[in-house]
Amino acid sequence: MTEPAPSGEQKKTGDEPSGSDGEKPQPTLLEQMGGLSGLFYSSLPVIVFVLANAIFGLTVGIWAAVGSAVAITVLRVVRKEPLQPAISGFFGVAIAAFIAYRTGSAKGFFLFGIWTSLVYFGVFALSIVVRWPLAGVVWNALNGNGQAWRKDKKSLIAYSIATGAMALIFGARFIVQRWLYDEDYTGWLAFAKIAMGYPLYALGLLSVVWAVRRSEKHLKAVSAEAPAEETDAEVEARLREKYAQTPAVEK
């Protein structure tokens, strides 16, 4: 009778990650954006500012927004979540609050984000013009893929389209929120900032994912069709064979 496998081996087999190659699953789109908590964290200071400003006035609204940003940062530290988004969010709220304080107007809280959107639009658009689309530059730099994608026409076009989508998003943010700012629609400014934040960013990220997949698929196909490069040993062997077959020149 066959004896059962030791419990240690059974445990080892059960602990292996699922999937044929044992690789960890790639993060989902929502996870790459910070999940639902990221959406909540980015929206909370804006909501707190608008409500506190409407009820208690500008000064209370400013301190309430900054206080909520500090609370979010502390919460991320306690929960051992990535600090970079929290720190960036805190400084963004702090700058917005400072501008609102200096201008003496609640709508000044949104001025920094409005002009930041215009700057991002210009940077993304310019990167397409100079043929260094940011979607491709950032993605391939983070993943250490080198610059092979820039020599491939289809990859360059795909990343340019994705970069153009991101540029349109930032351009739309600037146009809509600048108009609301000029019309003194502070409440609608807050709504537009939230609605045109993560939802539009998700659409832009989808275009980047499409570009990445299209580029990688085409580069793999090109690599498969290209002849394999000879090693030094193969080059030496081929040269020896060539010159060995060459008849000697008579003197």
Side-chain angles (χ1 to χ4, degrees), residues 18-163:
S18 58
S20 58
D21 54 1
E23 294 181 354
K24 294 182 179 179
Q26 294 294 322
T28 64
L29 179 62
L30 184 61
E31 291 172 342
Q32 293 179 39
M33 295 171 57
L36 293 176
S37 62
L39 175 60
F40 173 75
Y41 292 153
S42 64
S43 304
L44 183 61
V46 178
I47 297 173
V48 168
F49 172 78
V50 172
L51 292 177
N53 174 72
I55 299 173
F56 303 106
L58 179 60
T59 302
V60 175
I62 291 173
W63 285 109
V66 174
S68 65
V70 172
I72 289 172
T73 304
V74 173
L75 180 61
R76 281 186 177 271
V77 172
V78 172
R79 298 179 62 178
K80 297 181 180 180
E81 296 178 354
L83 284 180
Q84 191 276 331
I87 295 174
S88 300
F90 170 76
F91 279 107
V93 172
I95 294 173
F98 176 75
I99 294 175
Y101 170 76
R102 294 291 297 176
T103 59
S105 173
K107 67 179 185 179
F109 185 83
F110 304 95
L111 198 56
F112 177 70
I114 292 173
W115 288 107
T116 299
S117 294
L118 180 61
V119 171
Y120 281 147
F121 166 78
V123 171
F124 275 90
L126 181 61
S127 72
I128 298 174
V129 174
V130 298
R131 300 178 64 83
W132 281 86
L134 271 183
V137 172
V138 173
W139 174 266
N140 288 281
L142 291 176
N143 291 275
N145 295 336
Q147 304 298 329
W149 63 275
R150 291 197 65 249
K151 301 176 183 178
D152 181 66
K153 184 176 180 180
K154 289 188 176 180
S155 297
L156 189 62
I157 292 175
Y159 282 121
S160 296
I161 293 174
T163 303

Side-chain angles (χ1 to χ4, degrees), residues 159-183:
Y159 282 121
S160 296
I161 293 174
T163 303
M166 295 299 297
L168 287 176
I169 288 172
F170 287 113
R173 286 181 183 177
F174 173 77
I175 293 173
V176 172
Q177 295 178 27
R178 178 66 189 184
W179 178 79
L180 292 172
Y181 179 89
D182 291 338
E183 296 297 324

